[in-house]
């Protein structure tokens, strides 16, 4: 039984139906990402898993943007200096990232490289409540100067993180939630606890309809057969004889038991 969409997601993505489609679309996109990455690794036929890592890194962004781009209200945002497009739906700006290659506690997930674009994305996240504990050296999203494409987004845009653990052997359960960036080393402070994202059930076969060949009519669209009609002889009509619809069987002149 599928779990209901959380209230925070419904609020961010405008309504329950859209939030459901976003959640399902992310799950399908990550499954497609892993399938493509594994296929690339197998085709490379090398002992290193770097091929999988590169395909997984690019695929996380590309599959999510492709899978959700057609949803109503979806907007593709490519931050200046960033080579991938992010998806914004409603007030939610989606950011997928791999936090581990093994089954790790998602609450310990970290941003591996906090560079300029990442800092700008976290300007759309809540402020960290731990900043004062670091003597004022914590990350302050209000102090970040945004580049034009991000600066053009509405002020109520909220960054939605999509952390997932993944390796060449398989995709581990992905999550989504909202977190603040606590410091420049990538520590996350979860404001909305990361929730597991349901993945599509691969055991359920998809119903497919074979493609119909063009130019071949259906059984009820063919030409009607021509039935040969012949008028009754005038003598039969005068004698008022009933019409004969079947030819009378021909009786043999001899029988096999007849003596020769």
């Amino acid at each position: 039984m599928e779990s209901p969409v959380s209230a925070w997601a419904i609020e961010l993505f405008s309504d329950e139906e859209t939030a459901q489609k976003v959640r399902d679309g992310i799950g399908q996109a990550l499954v497609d990402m892993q399938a493509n990455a594994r296929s690339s690794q197998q085709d490379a036929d090398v002992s290193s898993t770097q091929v999988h890592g590169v395909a997984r890194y690019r695929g996380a962004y590309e599959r999510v943007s492709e899978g959700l781009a057609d949803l109503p209200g979806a907007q593709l945002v490519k931050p200046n200096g960033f080579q991938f497009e992010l998806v914004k739906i409603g007030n939610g700006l989606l950011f997928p990232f791999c936090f581990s290659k093994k089954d790790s506690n998602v609450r310990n997930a970290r941003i591996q490289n906090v560079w300029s674009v990442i800092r700008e994305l976290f300007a759309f996240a809540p402020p960290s409540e731990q900043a004062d504990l670091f003597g004022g050296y914590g990350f302050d999203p209000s102090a970040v100067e945004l580049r034009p494409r991000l600066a053009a987004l509405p002020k109520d845009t909220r960054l939605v993180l999509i952390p997932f653990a993944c390796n060449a052997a398989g995709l581990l359960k992905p999550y989504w939630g909202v977190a603040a960036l606590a410091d420049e080393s990538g520590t996350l402070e979860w404001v909305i606890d990361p929730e597991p994202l349901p993945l599509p059930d691969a055991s359920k076969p998809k119903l497919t309809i074979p493609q119909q060949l063009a130019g071949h009519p259906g059984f009820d669209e063919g030409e009607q057969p021509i039935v040969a009609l012949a008028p009754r002889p005038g003598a039969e009509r005068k004698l008022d004889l009933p019409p004969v619809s079947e030819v009378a069987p021909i009786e043999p002149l001899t029988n096999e038991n007849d003596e020769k």
Side-chain angles (χ1 to χ4, degrees), residues 48-235:
S48 171
T49 59
Q50 289 181 347
V51 176
H52 175 274
V54 172
R56 183 266 306 155
Y57 173 73
R58 299 188 63 90
Y61 299 107
E62 294 177 355
R63 298 292 82 76
V64 170
S65 61
E66 290 174 0
L68 302 180
D70 292 335
L71 290 183
Q75 175 186 354
L76 297 182
V77 180
K78 187 176 182 181
N80 301 80
F82 196 58
Q83 58 179 321
F84 303 110
E85 293 177 319
L86 303 178
V87 183
K88 178 182 178 296
I89 302 179
N91 292 331
L93 181 63
L94 305 177
F95 181 70
F97 68 99
C98 180
F99 73 93
S100 178
K101 293 183 179 180
K102 58 184 180 180
D103 191 2
S104 303
N105 187 344
V106 68
R107 295 192 63 84
N108 297 328
R110 301 170 68 95
I111 302 297
Q112 300 297 324
N113 183 14
V114 183
W115 59 296
S116 56
V117 171
I118 299 300
R119 285 194 293 271
E120 292 180 39
L121 290 177
F122 274 92
F124 297 100
S128 172
E129 295 181 357
Q130 300 180 9
D132 293 339
L133 300 180
F134 294 92
Y137 293 99
F139 176 77
D140 182 6
S142 63
V144 176
E145 183 178 354
L146 300 178
R147 305 180 197 195
R149 292 171 187 168
L150 291 178
L153 295 178
K155 299 299 182 182
D156 55 358
T157 299
R158 178 66 73 210
L159 184 67
V160 178
L161 301 182
I162 307 171
F164 60 91
C166 182
N167 54 45
L171 170 67
L172 306 178
K173 186 178 289 184
Y175 301 82
W176 70 347
V178 175
L181 185 63
D183 54 47
E184 294 285 347
S185 65
T187 303
L188 295 176
E189 179 186 330
W190 291 98
V191 178
I192 296 176
D193 287 338
E195 299 177 1
L197 281 169
L199 297 178
D201 188 356
S203 64
K204 294 182 179 179
K206 295 182 179 180
L207 179 62
T208 57
I209 301 176
Q211 185 177 2
Q212 303 298 317
L213 297 178
H216 290 258
F219 74 95
D220 59 343
E221 298 176 352
E223 296 182 359
Q224 296 292 333
I226 300 176
V227 181
L229 301 176
R232 295 180 63 196

Side-chain angles (χ1 to χ4, degrees), residues 7-23:
W8 68 266
I10 296 175
E11 181 180 358
L12 272 183
F13 300 110
S14 302
D15 55 70
E16 183 175 2
E17 181 180 1
T18 302
Q20 181 80 49
K21 291 180 179 179
V22 172
R23 191 181 70 169

